[in-house]
Structures are given as structure tokens and as C-alpha cells.
Amino acid sequence: MSLVYEIGAVGLADGAWLKLAFKFYSDWALFQTSDPTGANYVSAEYHAAAPFSGQSPATVRGLKVRFDQKGHERPFQKAIIIDVVDGYLNPGDRIIIRLGDRRQGGAGTRAQTFVEKNFRFRMFIDPLGSSKFAEVPGDCAIDIVPGTPHAINLIAPRLAEPRQPVRVLARVDDIWGNTCRDRVIDGRVILSCPDGSTREERLAFASEGWAATEIALSFGQNGEWRLRAEADGVQVEPAIAYVQVEPLKGGYHLYYADLHVHSEDTVGTNDTYYNLSYGRDIAGLDIVGYTVNDFNITEAKWNEAVGLIGELNEPGRFVCYPGTEWCGNSAAGGDRNVVFLRDGKPRFPFDDEGRSVRSFEWNEFTAGTIRPGVWPVDELWAAYADDPEGHLMIPHVGGRRCIFDWHHPELERLTEISSAWGQFHWNYVDALSRGHRLGASAASDEHQGRCGGGAPATAAFGSRGGLTGVFAETLDRASIGKALRARRTFATTGERSFASLRLGQSWMGEVVAADPAQPLVYRLLGDKGWEEMSLYDADRLIWTRNLHEEAGFSNRRVRLRFGGARIKDRYRAAYWEGEIAVTGAALLGHRGVGFDHPEQCAWRRDATTIGFRSATHGDVDGVELSLSDVVGSRIEVRADLYGYVKIGDPLQPPPHIDAPSINLSVSGAELLASGAINLDIPGVELRISLECITEKSLPRDLEGEIGIDALQLAKGREHPLFITARQTDQSRIWTSPLFLSL
């Protein structure tokens, strides 16, 4: 791609510079300037215009190009920076900027992976060399559209009630998780009943707009139903979903929510209607919370969005809440979302007294200095503390992570454990170990226009967005708000899985006095097979099940798993690049697990070696190996661990300073004897493990009881007990705690 900038009437002074900028949250591949034969090479070339009669030629000697991810102001922060070297440029001279310059053998550039209408490149110039930039009128805009159909995505609730209509949604996505558009595709969904019989329903994907369709199904038989969606005459991967049909205990219904969704009103992608209707019609959500960065939204945009949310809110079908993201620095409490649970005009951007409730006020149109607002987070609580039932505040980890030195027990009832920023088990247990009564939630924190557990991109948002499961009486704002504040929730990493934890008639989220004769009762429903579940008392693991071990370890299969994050703050991703070498046994095959997109992968380097490359943001990835015989083998893992390239050459990422290289060597006999060999790495839950796994199928439905006496809990204090579990694809789930006293 080539962009041409023609110098305006004043020319460019010696020492002038230019910035070709685009939005920070774009995941366009990082541009580099050190290897002209490599991918994503960016260059700038000077072309002199023919001088007018009597005009002296420009004296510029060259252009110097660099790329900086934070090279300009929000939201246009990613910048290709071009310095004028030794001389000036005349009006009419041109600069040609080649993105993915191929002239010396480079592969071009990998564009942004998620759909955006009017993706913009914006030019800023400093014509005087004074470091004061002006915006060049007329952005270069392109539409980023979905690719070719790759797979069907099938969305259904994991638990449904007998003989009640169930909303099932099918869509056709490209390889990056974008829903295709304007495609003539037909298909079918095959229902396998618990009694072994089958039936078929036709799927007619919309031929205009999103390639999606919705059908209503009713399940007469109790038990597990298998749904398989296929396309006719198109080579796409089919989709499989499971629905467990049985009455839900307690008289509640199960709903799925994403309470943290951005739009281009602040730093999201595409407009507000696009994002909210995507949540309803494409992600199949029951509940969506629209979120704006409180410092960034204009009052006019906020009022427009609140009106739209009111129109979309439809009790019984779709609940939509307005909300804000208080963007205080971590030193002032850190990020808090505010969900306005009541109907009517929310108290934002001003309270009832006319005082600002923003953290501060600044956006790209703001003239002058940043205007301060309510700061630290104590002042935010003061704005809403008189009506806690009408508000829900959710601390979360994004860029500015929340700090639990601050906590308001009436306003803050849930905390966000998983989002597109990563997975934050460590933050959940930190809150609970401090004695804070917080329940589990997860959300997308979606900036890419794909809420509801959407596919991750490849940059700062490198994980799948999460979802919150909600047990409520009815689907309306009041009932859902009551359930959220009661902490009757679980959190997933984007899947429609299910988890519950109860003690008698008491549900997770409740504060209860324990009867030692009454056990904890848990239930897990997934789609890939549960491999591990654990019971925590705040930050203390007190009970666990290894389902691989229970099924019996294989003597032919092992797995490498690696995950965690480097740091707790922004740019936390750990970037892994390594290899697994096997000797003493034949390496028959391999399979990647937990990888989120095509650039995270494993491949065979030679007969004995598998290479791998990935990034983890608190999540876990892995590679399964099939061997001729584990017992006589030796497995060696070598890996380099890198950090995020905020500045500098993307081809030279900074090593993880605490552990730049990792080596692990294990004999197969030793591995089989121990079940797993773990290497903890300095960082945040950073670990690499070689593990035994089973060849048998693992259960999608897991339930049981845990005796209170067996847990040996200390008396005289409260114990926040919660379940977390992992499936074979490395998806996770967390319940809200039961706050149990003996």
C-alpha cells in the first residue's frame, strides 16, 4: 500500500517532521524499518517537484523513518514518523510512504484483522520544526471487510429448560473471527437427542448484511442434546454445541452478559448501534452493558447513546444498560466501571447537584489543558453511594488496573476476572484475601466491534473476551440488576459454559453460616471436556480434581503448557518462542491447544522437533505431543520469553528481563511417575509445564459434593469459597464465592 503526501504552500523547514498515524487499538502488524527484505517494512521516499522559474531546489538530503506505538495523541497514537534530514522541502514536493514495501523482497504487510468501516490514516505535520503538529485535512480512509468464509459459529445456552423456546444463533465467520457479509449460504443444524434419535432444522443465513440466522428450538427430552451446524456447498468448518436440558434449581433462569462494550464514541471500533446490535443479533447475548471512557465522551454523544440504549432495551428479549469507565490511574484506585441499573437518565456526566462525575475531561477535540474531575475513586463512590441499588461498580484490569486498597462494599459487588486484556485470577484472589465480598464477572472490554466473547486480535487485546453468566428470575433491568448485585454469577473466558456452587438452598454470592453436615454441591457444564477443577478459599487452593489422572494417563501422549503474564500492568503479555525436542521415541504428531488466532501456532521443524510461537496475557496455551512410547523418551523444551514492543524495532523485542530464556529437560519415565513437571517463572502466574494427559474422553458434565469437614476450615472467620475449572482447550470458568462462616 502506498500513500502520497504532497507538501503544502508553506513547504517544510529543515528539522521538520511528519507523522502518519492510526488508532492505537488497531492490530495492524507492527511496522519495521530495519529489514527491507522482511514483512511489514515501511519506507518513505522523497520526490522533488519541478521548480518554478527562478525557484531554488529543495536542499533536503534524505528522510529518516521510524515507527512508534505511542508516537502521537490518543486515539491516533500509532505513528510512522518521518524526519526531514539536513535541509528543507519545497511546496509541491512529494513523499511516498510505502506500507509493506515489497521492492526488496518483503512480503508486504498484514492489515488489521478485525472489521472496521472507514479505518483512517491521519497525517500530522510539524512544518516549522518546532514540535507543534497540525492535522492535515482529509484522512486516507479504507474499509476493512471480512475475509472468505472459514467456519460456522453456533451459539446456544449450555443449560435450557424442558419444552421452553430456546434462542439458537448460527453465523459464518472468517479465519479471524469476523462474521462474513452478503453471502448466499444455506445450511442445517442436526440435533442429536438424548435417546439417540436425530432431527434436522434448516438454516438460511441472511444474504444481505451479516451472514447469520436465528432459530427457536424446543427440547422435549431431558438430558444432553448435541447440535451440529453445517453449510451446504461451501467449504467451511462445521460447529458443534451442547445443550443440557433440565430445570434450573432455585426457580432461576440462565442468561449471558457482556457488561463492558465500547464503541467509536470513545476508543472502540464502529458506531454504538453496530456494537450493541452485534451483541444482540450476532453474539446472541441476553444482556449488554455499553461502556464509555468517562473522560473521553462528549455530552452530546452520551445523550445520543443513552437514548439508543433505551430503544434497544426490550424486556424478555434483550437487556441493555448504559455505563461508564472511570479511568483513574492505579495510584488513585484504578479502573472502575459504573453500570446504571435503573431506567431514566443516569447521573453522568453530572450528578444531581451539577458537579462533574468524570475522572477528568479530555478528548481529541478538547482545547486547552486537561480538566480535573472526581479523583481518587473515593470521590466517585460519593456520587452514587446514596443509591447503591441503582448502581453497580465493577473494578477491572485493563490498561490502568484496579487496586483493592480501595473498595466500597455496597457499590462494588463484582470484579472482572477475564476480558480481552487477559485473565486475572490473581486479582480475584487478591480481593477475596483482603476480605472484600466480590463476585465473579467477565466481559469483553471490547474495542474491536465484536463483543460477547469475540475472537481476539493480535495486539494489546490478545485474549478472548469474557462473559458473565447470570441467574435471574426474569430478563429485565430490575431482575438482572438484582441478580448482579446479589453476586449470583459466574465468569467464563467467552464460552457459553456453566458453573454453579451451592450449599443447601444458598447460592454462590451469598453469605451463609455452614452446617458441617451439609456438603458443597457443584455443577459444571462445558463443551470440550473438563480436565481440572479446583476449590479455593480466597487465595488458598484447598481441594482439586485432575480429570486426566482420574481417567488414566496415556503412555503415548504428553503436553507442554505455558502461560501467565509478565507484569500486572499494561503491556503485560508474555511472548513465547521456542521448540520441543524429543529423543528416544518417535514423534508421531502434534496439536496446538489454547491458541487464539492464526499467528499463534506450532509446527514441525524436523523429525524430532516442534517449534511454537504464541503470546499469553494471563491465559494458557500448549502443544500436545503423540509419541511412540513416553517411557523411553526424553523431552527438552527451549524457549525465549519476550515483552511488548512499545518503542523500538519490532524485530528486536525486549527480553523478559527476569527470565529471558527457559530450559526444561525431562525423561518420559520421570514424567509418568510424577504426572507433571512444572517450572515457575518470575512474573504473574508465569509457568511452563510438561504434563501427562489421557487419551480418553473427558466429561462435559461434572457434578459432585465436597464435604465441609474434609476441608478443615478454620473456625471463627469467613471463608470465600469458589470453584474454578479448565477445559481441554484451556478455556476457564470461575464461580462467585460462597462466603461461608463456621
Side-chain angles (χ1 to χ4, degrees):
M1 176 185 289
S2 296
L3 301 177
V4 180
Y5 174 62
E6 183 172 310
I7 311 303
V10 300
L12 292 180
D14 52 323
W17 45 322
L18 309 85
K19 299 178 182 180
L20 180 68
F22 56 105
K23 290 184 177 180
F24 176 74
Y25 292 123
S26 171
D27 73 340
W28 200 298
L30 300 183
F31 292 107
Q32 55 91 9
T33 58
S34 60
D35 181 9
T37 67
N40 306 304
Y41 182 69
V42 59
S43 66
E45 186 175 285
Y46 169 65
H47 285 213
F52 295 105
S53 176
Q55 182 186 30
S56 298
T59 60
V60 62
R61 301 291 296 273
L63 303 174
K64 185 176 181 180
V65 186
R66 52 197 165 98
F67 176 69
D68 190 337
Q69 292 215 64
K70 288 291 187 80
H72 197 67
E73 291 184 353
R74 178 187 180 116
F76 288 89
Q77 290 176 293
K78 288 185 173 176
I80 297 164
I81 301 171
I82 303 168
D83 292 291
V84 176
V85 179
D86 291 346
Y88 67 88
L89 280 72
N90 278 327
D93 290 352
R94 292 186 173 189
I95 295 174
I96 300 176
I97 305 168
R98 292 183 173 89
L99 310 179
D101 191 341
R102 298 183 178 183
R103 293 176 301 167
Q104 298 183 64
T109 183
R110 198 265 294 138
Q112 178 174 294
T113 67
F114 54 91
V115 166
E116 183 172 6
K117 186 177 182 180
N118 290 326
F119 172 93
R120 294 179 178 275
F121 289 104
R122 182 168 293 176
M123 180 68 82
F124 299 89
I125 61 168
D126 167 24
L128 303 177
S130 62
S131 297
K132 183 69 173 178
F133 284 86
E135 179 182 321
V136 175
D139 296 341
C140 292
I142 58 175
D143 288 340
I144 298 178
V145 300
T148 58
H150 173 72
I152 297 179
N153 197 319
L154 187 61
I155 298 170
R158 189 60 182 88
L159 182 66
E161 296 169 65
R163 292 171 292 281
Q164 295 297 315
V166 172
R167 181 185 179 212
V168 176
L169 190 144
R171 67 182 197 237
V172 180
D173 292 348
D174 69 10
I175 197 170
W176 291 100
N178 300 298
T179 300
C180 298
R181 299 183 66 90
D182 304 326
R183 300 276 182 170
V184 179
I185 299 174
D186 290 319
R188 57 183 178 157
V189 59
I190 303 165
L191 287 79
S192 299
C193 310
D195 65 6
S197 62
T198 62
R199 78 174 201 249
E200 183 178 309
E201 300 277 348
R202 295 301 301 170
L203 296 174
F205 296 96
S207 58
E208 294 183 359
W210 283 312
T213 187
E214 180 181 317
I215 59 175
L217 297 177
S218 180
F219 303 95
Q221 300 176 26
N222 284 16
E224 186 181 74
W225 291 65
R226 180 179 184 267
L227 282 59
R228 177 183 170 92
E230 302 173 345
D232 297 335
V234 181
Q235 293 297 314
V236 297
E237 294 181 4
I240 294 175
Y242 297 92
V243 178
Q244 182 71 24
V245 178
E246 62 184 63
L248 182 60
K249 293 179 174 62
Y252 297 119
H253 304 284
L254 172 61
Y255 303 108
Y256 290 96
D258 185 346
L259 294 170
H260 195 167
V261 177
H262 291 274
S263 78
E264 67 182 14
D265 285 350
T266 48
V267 290
T269 301
N270 298 320
D271 63 40
T272 300
Y273 180 78
Y274 178 102
N275 280 269
L276 298 181
S277 61
Y278 182 100
R280 181 190 63 190
D281 301 332
I282 303 303
L285 291 167
D286 304 300
I287 307 151
V288 168
Y290 162 83
T291 312
V292 296
N293 296 95
D294 71 333
F295 72 89
N296 207 206
I297 186 74
T298 66
E299 190 170 359
K301 284 288 187 183
W302 169 254
N303 291 333
E304 181 183 330
V306 170
L308 174 62
I309 290 164
E311 294 173 10
L312 292 175
N313 185 66
E314 184 180 347
R317 180 168 185 257
F318 182 65
V319 168
C320 199
Y321 294 110
T324 65
E325 182 174 4
W326 185 83
C327 298
N329 290 339
S330 296
D335 282 352
R336 257 73 172 177
N337 283 1
V338 182
V339 184
F340 298 101
L341 300 176
R342 298 194 188 280
D343 296 330
K345 188 177 187 300
R347 296 184 195 173
F348 183 85
F350 304 101
D351 65 13
D352 293 340
E353 304 294 325
R355 295 170 297 209
S356 172
V357 291
R358 302 177 188 261
S359 52
F360 57 94
E361 187 172 357
W362 180 89
N363 59 52
E364 59 183 307
F365 310 109
T366 301
T369 60
I370 292 173
R371 291 190 283 272
V374 292
W375 193 288
V377 73
D378 309 63
E379 295 189 21
L380 178 68
W381 298 333
Y384 304 116
D386 66 319
D387 182 22
E389 299 300 323
H391 300 85
L392 174 67
M393 292 180 63
I394 306 177
H396 76 97
V397 178
R400 300 156 297 270
R401 65 180 171 98
C402 66
I403 301 295
F404 284 117
D405 297 352
W406 284 265
H407 173 58
H408 194 293
E410 289 303 314
L411 289 168
E412 296 177 349
R413 310 288 286 184
L414 303 174
T415 189
E416 199 174 272
I417 306 171
S418 178
S419 74
W421 286 101
Q423 295 176 21
F424 311 109
H425 175 89
W426 55 268
N427 203 48
Y428 190 32
V429 299
D430 175 48
L432 297 177
S433 65
R434 292 170 182 253
H436 302 338
R437 290 176 177 168
L438 287 168
S441 75
S444 61
D445 196 353
E446 183 56 48
H447 289 61
Q448 297 155 178
R450 299 182 302 200
C451 62
T458 66
F461 293 98
S463 291
R464 290 178 53 82
L467 290 177
T468 302
V470 184
F471 299 107
E473 295 173 352
T474 55
L475 185 59
D476 57 59
R477 279 184 175 175
S479 182
I480 296 299
K482 182 179 178 181
L484 292 169
R485 286 188 47 81
R487 302 177 290 250
R488 206 160 46 245
T489 59
F490 60 83
T492 86
T493 51
E495 304 74 29
R496 258 62 171 190
S497 45
F498 168 94
S500 68
L501 180 65
R502 296 181 296 109
L503 182 72
Q505 300 303 310
S506 297
W507 282 73
M508 51 202 184
E510 296 185 37
V511 180
V512 297
D515 176 358
Q518 200 168 41
L520 296 169
V521 179
Y522 64 85
R523 181 73 179 280
L524 296 166
L525 294 169
D527 57 356
K528 302 299 183 184
W530 298 103
E531 66 176 25
E532 180 183 277
M533 66 164 292
S534 301
L535 177 69
Y536 277 82
D537 178 7
D539 58 350
R540 190 169 65 95
L541 175 62
I542 58 174
W543 183 92
T544 191
R545 288 181 66 181
N546 183 333
L547 281 301
H548 286 287
E549 186 174 22
E550 291 181 20
F553 292 141
S554 169
N555 61 3
R556 297 186 300 173
R557 290 188 184 175
V558 297
R559 181 176 63 187
L560 172 73
R561 286 203 311 133
F562 50 92
R566 294 183 309 107
I567 58 174
K568 293 180 178 180
D569 296 294
R570 201 193 302 255
Y571 317 122
R572 61 185 55 86
Y575 294 86
W576 308 77
E577 188 162 339
E579 64 178 25
I580 313 163
V582 177
T583 55
L587 177 54
L588 304 178
H590 74 281
R591 184 175 75 93
V593 294
F595 294 144
D596 294 312
H597 55 72
E599 291 183 0
Q600 297 180 355
C601 56
W603 63 95
R604 186 184 281 271
R605 284 187 170 164
D606 55 41
T608 63
T609 310
I610 301 296
F612 64 90
R613 179 177 58 246
S614 192
T616 61
H617 301 69
D619 56 314
V620 174
D621 296 338
V623 183
E624 291 183 5
L625 304 178
S626 296
L627 308 180
S628 58
D629 185 10
V630 172
V631 174
S633 68
R634 175 160 288 276
I635 304 167
E636 296 187 7
V637 180
R638 297 179 291 274
D640 294 321
L641 196 52
Y642 300 100
Y644 184 81
V645 185
K646 182 180 176 183
I647 57 174
D649 186 353
L651 299 183
Q652 299 292 326
H656 177 44
I657 191 169
D658 297 313
S661 297
I662 298 148
N663 292 278
L664 184 61
S665 180
V666 178
S667 72
E670 179 185 5
L671 185 57
L672 280 171
S674 60
I677 303 295
N678 303 313
L679 177 61
D680 290 320
I681 303 165
V684 185
E685 297 177 340
L686 269 181
R687 171 180 280 193
I688 192 165
S689 304
L690 277 168
E691 303 170 327
C692 295
I693 58 175
T694 188
E695 292 186 64
K696 298 177 182 177
S697 297
L698 294 176
R700 292 184 295 273
D701 186 346
L702 200 60
E703 61 181 327
E705 297 181 350
I706 306 171
I708 298 294
D709 283 342
L711 300 177
Q712 298 182 336
L713 300 174
K715 295 182 179 181
R717 70 178 186 86
E718 186 172 278
H719 299 271
L721 304 179
F722 71 92
I723 292 282
T724 182
R726 186 176 67 239
Q727 297 195 78
T728 57
D729 65 350
Q730 304 310 296
S731 61
R732 289 188 71 178
I733 199 165
W734 296 261
T735 70
S736 287
L738 270 166
F739 298 93
L740 194 70
S741 296
L742 292 175

